[in-house]
Amino acid sequence: MEIWNNNDIYLTEQLVKEPTALQNATKKIRATPYPPMEVSPAQGKFLYLLAKIQNASRILEIGTYYGYSTIWLAKAVPEGGVVVSIEQTQAFVEMAKENIAEAGLYEKVQLHHGDASLILCNFIDESTSPFDMVFIDAHKPSYPKYLNLCLKLSKPGTIIIGDNVILGSEISLATNPKAEGVRDFIQNLSAADDIESTALQTVGIKGYDGFTIGVVGPAKSKTPQPLKIQ
Ligand code: MG
């Protein structure tokens, strides 16, 4: 809707102050046939602020695309911090590499090319240090699997964000097969006893969508404790 766009553009101009490297990266992708799958500038700044609020020094991103949100996140991590970002499409990895280098953030980003589930399983096998923040922005049917693996790479206090959970307003329609993965993801968030979550719907230059956000807490014991008898 025009009013959403106009307000988003106004707020972005006033508050976001999108870095030139990000503006240039977006200009380059618009000259290709690839769709505008990245987060909006206002959403990118929101992720950056969340990372700052969290004081995150280790961030995991699933779905790099051309590095737009990766760059916002990398700008938020302190010296010595890292954004580990996973991308399945080789062409996107190459674009992201170039954009991240142009933003001067090459040392703060580890790009991994391949299947995210396999890469996450490797991280778990290698006992990789837990992440402070996770941003899932990838293949929607895989969200439940990614959540399960990301919880194993988390610690109490880790925040986990799931992007694009509204699917063009159809998420609450049980009859839409495209929504199944995201509905399962939301159901798993609801059922998991070691993460507290909510979801927010968004409007703006990216249309109508939304994201989930959750914070990992201490896992509750799966074994019922014996009753204390006085
Ligand atoms: Mg997205």
Side-chain angles (χ1 to χ4, degrees), residues 168-187:
S169 82
E170 291 178 326
I171 187 59
S172 58
L173 286 179
T175 49
N176 178 0
K178 276 196 303 185
E180 262 171 38
V182 175
R183 287 174 65 89
D184 287 349
F185 169 71
I186 287 171
Q187 194 182 331

Side-chain angles (χ1 to χ4, degrees), residues 18-32 34 38 61 64-75 85 87 89-109 111:
E18 187 185 30
T20 313
L22 285 166
Q23 293 177 19
N24 292 343
T26 303
K27 265 184 215 147
K28 274 194 284 176
I29 197 90
R30 292 294 173 268
T32 74
Y34 297 119
E38 75 284 355
E61 178 182 60
T64 316
Y65 192 26
Y66 67 94
Y68 188 83
S69 44
T70 323
I71 290 172
W72 272 115
L73 292 169
K75 284 179 71 65
S85 189
E87 174 55 56
T89 305
Q90 179 68 48
F92 297 160
V93 173
E94 296 310 319
M95 281 191 277
K97 240 184 230 173
E98 199 181 300
N99 292 330
I100 291 161
E102 277 176 26
L105 293 162
Y106 197 74
E107 287 181 1
K108 286 188 174 175
V109 180
L111 278 179

Side-chain angles (χ1 to χ4, degrees), residues 23 30 45 93 149 166 205 225:
Q23 293 177 19
R30 292 294 173 268
K45 179 76 175 278
V93 173
L149 297 169
I166 299 301
I205 59 166
Q225 296 299 304

Side-chain angles (χ1 to χ4, degrees), residues 127-140:
S127 302
T128 300
S129 301
F131 293 92
D132 303 306
M133 179 172 171
V134 177
F135 180 50
I136 306 173
D137 186 18
H139 183 233
K140 305 304 170 241

